[in-house]
Amino acid sequence: MKIIMLGAPGAGKGTQADKIAQKYSIPHISTGDIFRKNIKEGTALGKEAKQYMDEGKLVPDELTVRILLDRVASDDCSRGYILDGFPRTIPQAEALEKKLGELDDDIDFAINVDVPDENIVNRMSGRRACPKCGATYHIKHIPPKKEGICDECGAELIIRDDDKPETVKNRLKVYHEQTQPLIEYYDKKKILRTVDGTKDAEDVFRAIADILE
Ligand code: ADP
Ligand code: ADP
Ligand code: ZN
């Protein structure tokens, strides 16, 4: 099973992707997580990506596509995967489609987690992330069992650099300009499914599980 998660920054793509990954035992691949890991490790890729991420801009397609296609070629992806945060532009979607086409393969579903802009800034200001394992929490809606500590791995939670309100506004603008057109792109391919992302995370997951059944 190959699934793409679509939605604005903060819509809950990562939260849902984690649940799907657990249920179906397939890897959850987040390009944002890959970039953040590289920034932490101080690699050349990390240095390049950071310049864009700090401003809420997209990392260039060429670089992003290369990283992603490399990742999905690994052994653990042979039974499928969930892409969270990729594709974010039409050229990225086309590059993925071309690669899968060469393998006589295709994406099964593009799940659009729909959340209006008004809710996004609130979601982002309460987001806390685990720098070690990538798990995500919300101080009000999805708090960790122990304040400030990751349930999964015990690391101390952080506020992401790019979750500041000014940067979030920029990211939303970029989303509407460059990523939203993918909704129509996948609708035309008949694999788009939209869920109401304003509901509780458990309800959103039930809606997604129904689609995937
Ligand atoms: P969010 O959880 O808000 O959707 P991500 O963690 O997916 O954010 O991405 C954080 C940042 O990483 C983006 O703002 C962008 O700069 C960069 N990024 C992640 N995925 C991509 C992509 N597919 N194309 C270009 N840039 C990306
Ligand atoms: P994305 O990957 O789309 O950027 P996240 O999964 O990181 O989004 O979620 C953004 C923030 O909203 C996080 O703090 C997360 O804990 C919280 N969140 C996710 N889903 C819900 C939900 N259904 N209701 C309320 N808060 C949520
Ligand atoms: Zn963790």
Side-chain angles (χ1 to χ4, degrees):
M1 176 126 62
K2 297 189 180 62
I3 305 164
I4 288 172
M5 302 301 292
L6 291 177
K13 301 180 296 296
T15 302
Q16 297 302 327
D18 259 342
K19 293 178 187 290
I20 302 167
Q22 272 186 26
K23 178 160 176 184
Y24 292 94
S25 305
I26 48 179
H28 166 190
I29 300 174
S30 155
T31 36
D33 282 350
I34 295 174
F35 291 139
R36 280 185 290 277
K37 182 162 178 275
N38 276 273
I39 291 174
K40 218 172 113 194
E41 290 168 356
T43 67
L45 166 67
K47 288 199 179 91
E48 163 111 41
K50 186 171 171 18
Q51 305 167 32
Y52 299 96
M53 293 170 76
D54 282 349
E55 290 184 38
K57 292 183 183 155
L58 294 184
V59 177
D61 285 339
E62 202 205 279
L63 181 63
T64 308
V65 165
R66 189 151 37 87
I67 300 300
L68 190 278
L69 292 184
D70 205 49
R71 176 66 187 87
V72 298
S74 338
D75 286 347
D76 67 328
C77 291
S78 60
R79 289 182 47 254
Y81 44 79
I82 303 153
L83 301 184
D84 159 18
F86 184 101
R88 259 178 157 97
T89 65
I90 300 271
Q92 289 182 13
E94 288 170 346
L96 175 65
E97 200 180 322
K98 179 163 171 274
K99 184 72 200 177
L100 288 175
E102 285 165 13
L103 305 168
D104 204 14
D105 202 351
D106 220 337
I107 297 292
D108 297 290
F109 292 107
I111 310 267
N112 176 30
V113 184
D114 189 29
V115 175
D117 286 10
E118 302 89 86
N119 304 31
I120 294 293
V121 177
N122 162 283
R123 287 260 180 114
M124 302 299 240
S125 61
R127 171 153 68 182
R128 297 293 181 272
C130 175
K132 206 165 151 202
C133 76
T136 302
Y137 303 87
H138 190 283
I139 49 174
K140 274 205 218 101
H141 308 302
I142 309 177
K145 292 193 184 80
K146 188 159 177 257
E147 196 185 319
I149 303 294
C150 179
D151 291 350
E152 305 296 326
C153 74
E156 212 164 308
L157 301 178
I158 57 154
I159 300 179
R160 271 168 50 175
D161 280 345
D162 57 347
D163 278 352
K164 296 189 292 279
E166 315 86 79
T167 317
V168 169
K169 284 203 193 97
N170 226 349
R171 289 161 66 197
L172 270 175
K173 188 163 165 272
V174 167
Y175 168 75
H176 289 299
E177 287 170 2
Q178 304 196 50
T179 307
Q180 210 171 2
L182 290 173
I183 293 178
E184 201 190 321
Y185 179 92
Y186 287 113
D187 193 26
K188 281 199 179 130
K189 299 196 183 294
K190 313 269 183 239
I191 58 169
L192 183 79
R193 302 289 184 274
T194 296
V195 295
D196 179 356
T198 63
K199 301 257 168 63
D200 277 358
E202 290 306 325
D203 292 335
V204 180
F205 182 57
R206 261 189 292 277
I208 295 175
D210 281 348
I211 292 167
L212 302 181
E213 281 309 309

